[in-house]
Amino acid sequence: MLQLEKVNAYYDEFHVLKDVSLSVKEGQLVLLVGPNGHGKSTLLKTIAGLIRTTSGSIKFRDKNINNLPVDKTVEMGLTYISEERNLFVEMTVLENLKLGAYNCFAWPKMNHSLELVFKLFPRLSERKAQIVSTLSGGELRMLAIGRGLMSGASFLAIDEPSLGLSPLLTNEVFKKIKDINEKNITILLVEQNIKLAGSIANHIYLMEDGRITYGDTTKKAMNNPIIKAAYLGKNRGAVHDLSVN
């Protein structure tokens, strides 16, 4: 569904993504882990079209999407949900959700999408008339994911959904992400909580210093002591002995 081959991208003159290659098959939930500041969020933004590539290939459903603007990637069914959430806090929950269906393909299906979102997140239905600034952290995260679904997405790139949440709310959000994936919505997930995210993922990639240094099935990755050490920021040099499968 999504295929990256030797993708490079920069922030100004800083080389962030370095020959990144990975793939996400339709229906999968793929987890991307690694130390902070090593390019994971940049990768999601580059896939979505927020950051330009300088070389390499990004294909979505066998179509080249290198440097397409965000509105075009959204229309194709690929939606990025940032860790910042980017919600309109003085508007209601329902108004924020409707804004997620702004593209010409999603708007005619808005009522169907709302039904799906409210089924997945009953709490949002209960609070649909509530001003967003009054929501809890967990509700805000659910709203950000729900607004992404309103775009008619078949692929979600989700950045750090547990950031700032309590363990209880984190568990709840991850249960919802699993439910979304089980509706055949493909997910590429950046997350620090490898234990919890790994429990719902099919495949894990490790990113270090802007490169994919390891990739394997979740079962193999979770049993690999080197990826655990690398994720915790210990013994980083050993990561380069790992291969991407």
Side-chain angles (χ1 to χ4, degrees):
M1 189 175 196
L2 179 73
Q3 184 76 40
L4 278 69
E5 293 287 346
K6 296 186 179 299
V7 170
N8 287 270
Y10 286 73
Y11 269 140
D12 296 324
E13 296 182 357
F14 184 62
H15 193 180
V16 182
L17 302 183
K18 305 167 185 176
D19 290 330
V20 172
S21 297
L22 61 77
S23 64
V24 182
K25 296 178 181 178
E26 188 162 3
Q28 280 191 322
L29 195 161
V30 173
L31 174 62
L32 180 65
V33 300
N36 286 329
H38 283 235
K40 302 185 302 298
S41 295
T42 298
L43 178 59
L44 297 192
K45 291 175 183 178
T46 302
I47 292 168
L50 290 165
I51 295 174
R52 294 183 62 83
T53 62
T54 55
S55 63
S57 170
I58 304 176
K59 290 186 177 181
F60 181 67
R61 297 192 182 278
D62 296 322
K63 294 182 180 179
N64 195 311
I65 62 169
N66 283 57
N67 301 324
L68 280 182
V70 175
D71 61 318
K72 297 300 181 184
T73 59
V74 170
E75 287 178 3
M76 294 175 71
L78 192 160
T79 297
Y80 165 63
I81 300 171
S82 75
E83 61 182 282
E84 293 90 0
R85 304 186 184 108
N86 297 323
L87 299 168
F88 295 93
V89 297
E90 298 307 318
M91 298 173 68
T92 67
V93 167
L94 183 59
E95 288 168 337
N96 269 268
L97 289 172
K98 286 183 176 181
L99 284 172
Y102 71 89
N103 76 75
C104 60
F105 298 103
W107 189 256
K109 303 175 183 177
M110 183 178 65
N111 289 335
H112 174 76
S113 297
L114 275 173
E115 184 179 340
L116 170 64
V117 170
F118 288 152
K119 186 175 181 179
L120 283 166
F121 302 108
R123 198 174 306 178
L124 295 183
S125 179
E126 295 167 4
R127 288 158 172 71
K128 60 186 176 183
Q130 194 166 322
I131 298 298
V132 169
S133 61
T134 65
L135 299 181
S136 69
E139 291 165 348
L140 290 169
R141 181 56 66 188
M142 291 176 192
L143 179 56
I145 295 172
R147 190 177 63 178
L149 288 170
M150 289 296 297
S151 68
S154 58
F155 186 105
L156 294 179
I158 308 178
D159 197 1
E160 299 282 9
S162 73
L163 187 67
L165 300 185
S166 69
L168 182 63
L169 287 175
T170 295
N171 284 330
E172 187 174 355
V173 167
F174 272 95
K175 182 182 181 299
K176 298 303 183 181
I177 290 173
K178 183 175 183 290
D179 291 343
I180 291 167
N181 181 237
E182 288 176 348
K183 294 185 178 297
N184 203 36
I185 294 174
T186 307
I187 297 173
L188 177 58
L189 175 67
V190 167
E191 174 56 41
Q192 296 287 351
N193 190 333
I194 186 172
K195 185 175 181 180
L196 184 55
S199 70
I200 63 173
N202 306 111
H203 199 96
I204 294 177
Y205 286 102
L206 173 66
M207 173 169 273
E208 185 183 55
D209 294 329
R211 302 179 188 275
I212 298 295
T213 52
Y214 176 80
D216 214 329
T217 63
T218 300
K219 183 177 181 180
K220 290 181 179 178
M222 294 294 280
N223 288 318
N224 191 311
I226 303 178
I227 190 172
K228 293 176 183 178
Y231 182 73
L232 294 171
K234 302 172 183 177
N235 195 26
R236 290 183 182 173
V239 176
H240 300 290
D241 296 328
L242 295 170
S243 60
V244 177
N245 294 326

